[in-house]
Amino acid sequence: MTDLAERRGTETKVYQPAEDSHLLAEVAAEEIAGDELVLEVGTGSGYVSEYVAEETGARVVGADVNPHACANARERGVEAVRADLVSPFRDGAFDAVLFNPPYLPTDPDEERDDWMERALSGGESGREVIDPFLDAVGRVLAPGGRVFLLVSSLSGVEEVVSRAGENGFSAVALRDESFPFETLTILKLVR
């Protein structure tokens, strides 16, 4: 009983797979080869990392600032590291980086200080986590490395593409999926 209660408590602190997770996992698995080293930033439950590793044979490392997410991902068999974006990883280490960022625009006066809020809230613009990620991710990419970034129409795809360009990336939309209140786009960023 205690184990089940603990697991349920962890689930309320960890982003669980939804449409955005499934979209990123499917697109990334189509693009990644089995001999590649992949980093998933913001791994949450570990679903995307697990899916990509199983579908491709690639080694996938999941990273999350949330210790509950790291524990949840490890339960799925994901190699998980507690990290804020790409900060602890060495230069040029990864062939691909995946990220389903917190992207929901959120009124700062209505934000709560809890793990689920951090997993969802992209700040006022929806890009307050995306922008620092784009500023930093190039450092950990190997030559020829790619970034697979999920972006919502709520946070401004054009603004994200522009910021990526400022960091030396060109962007191509690999897939769009429309929902009642937003369109989700998977961007492939390359230098």
Side-chain angles (χ1 to χ4, degrees):
M1 180 82 166
T2 305
D3 188 41
L4 181 59
E6 283 178 23
R7 201 172 309 125
R8 284 191 180 140
T10 298
E11 286 178 3
T12 63
K13 298 175 185 173
V14 177
Y15 184 76
Q16 297 301 310
E19 297 87 2
D20 51 2
S21 308
H22 301 298
L23 181 63
L24 179 59
E26 288 171 10
V27 172
E30 292 168 2
E31 296 278 328
I32 290 171
D35 62 346
E36 293 188 296
L37 178 58
V38 179
L39 172 64
E40 182 195 9
V41 174
T43 196
S45 70
Y47 167 79
V48 173
S49 290
E50 178 186 41
Y51 183 95
V52 170
E54 287 180 356
E55 292 295 313
T56 67
R59 178 177 169 210
V60 183
V61 176
D64 207 300
V65 70
N66 179 346
H68 306 287
C70 291
N72 200 272
R74 286 185 195 111
E75 288 175 12
R76 286 182 175 269
V78 172
E79 182 182 343
V81 176
R82 186 161 185 215
D84 188 7
L85 300 177
V86 299
S87 61
F89 301 104
R90 76 175 203 278
D91 294 0
F94 296 96
D95 300 299
V97 177
L98 319 175
F99 193 24
N100 177 5
Y103 60 76
L104 294 175
T106 310
D107 182 339
D109 295 334
E110 295 180 22
E111 285 191 23
R112 299 179 321 274
D113 186 22
D114 65 34
W115 288 115
M116 279 306 294
E117 182 74 22
R118 288 186 75 175
L120 298 171
S121 174
E124 246 179 312
S125 68
R127 296 183 304 278
E128 289 182 25
V129 177
I130 296 170
D131 288 346
F133 168 78
L134 290 171
D135 295 344
V137 69
R139 179 185 63 77
V140 299
L141 284 177
R146 300 96 67 219
V147 176
F148 298 94
L149 177 64
L150 183 132
V151 183
S152 167
S153 56
L154 298 174
S155 52
V157 176
E158 292 304 317
E159 290 85 347
V160 172
V161 169
S162 177
R163 183 66 168 247
E166 292 170 14
N167 284 284
F169 289 102
S170 60
V172 61
L174 295 179
R175 192 177 307 165
D176 294 318
E177 200 164 303
S178 293
F179 297 93
F181 299 104
E182 68 181 334
T183 298
L184 299 177
T185 301
I186 302 295
L187 293 177
K188 178 180 178 180
L189 308 177
V190 294
R191 285 192 162 156

